[in-house]
Amino acid sequence: MDFYNTIETAGSAEFKERGSKFLAFAYPIQNENSFKRILQALKKEHPKAAHHCFAYRLGFDGNNFRMGDDGEPAGTAGKPLLGQIDSKNLTNILVLVVRYFGGTLLGIPGLTAAYKTSASLVLQCTPAIQKSIEIDYTIEFDYNLMNEVMQILKQNKCTIIENETQLFCKIKAGIPKKKLAQVLNAFQDLQKIEFEPANKTNG
């Protein structure tokens, strides 16, 4: 697998059911810290909401996901949100739904349907994109090699994650999986350069 599906920008949608208002949000995320930061911000923005439910999926092995019902009956919120993420085969994505209670209990089937619909709506209006799976590498080299290194990274559509430019430079870059051998071969042709995996796969 060289590519994955995700979203590039955040999106939002609103769904109403028997007086309750469901505000749905979708965000591209890279790690659990991003999720925590966004959830805290949303709770501050909507302090009077009854529930702040969520689901997210990260990475490419299918094992890194989490969901939360935030006081709703177990399985009625987080699970349908994750179900909608998976139905579109998305990863590195967070879906959050803020519920303002409208006074009428929806029951378990009604709640499940409302959260599913909310997630479906926000994902419909947030375009999905296909991105290259990238392997993160740390590259260290003399400053006089900067142009050559940057040219290799640019030509192969690598993502610059961190860039420390000094007499001796250090760059952390995401190299597309399908271009990895090509990029490493190009680095090997240069003098005074060291590179190694940054110990994690990223998108």
Side-chain angles (χ1 to χ4, degrees), residues 3 13 35 38 57 63 88 92 111 138 142 144 153 191:
F3 296 94
F35 151 68
I38 292 166
R57 186 173 283 288
N63 296 323
K88 293 188 177 287
N92 290 3
L111 274 176
T138 303
D142 280 348
N144 59 9
L153 295 175
Q191 299 289 320

Side-chain angles (χ1 to χ4, degrees), residues 162-181:
E162 292 168 11
N163 188 353
E164 294 175 24
T165 307
Q166 294 167 4
L167 202 58
F168 201 66
C169 303
K170 184 177 180 181
I171 287 178
K172 186 177 173 188
I175 303 171
K177 192 176 166 187
K178 60 175 183 169
K179 299 271 186 88
L180 187 61

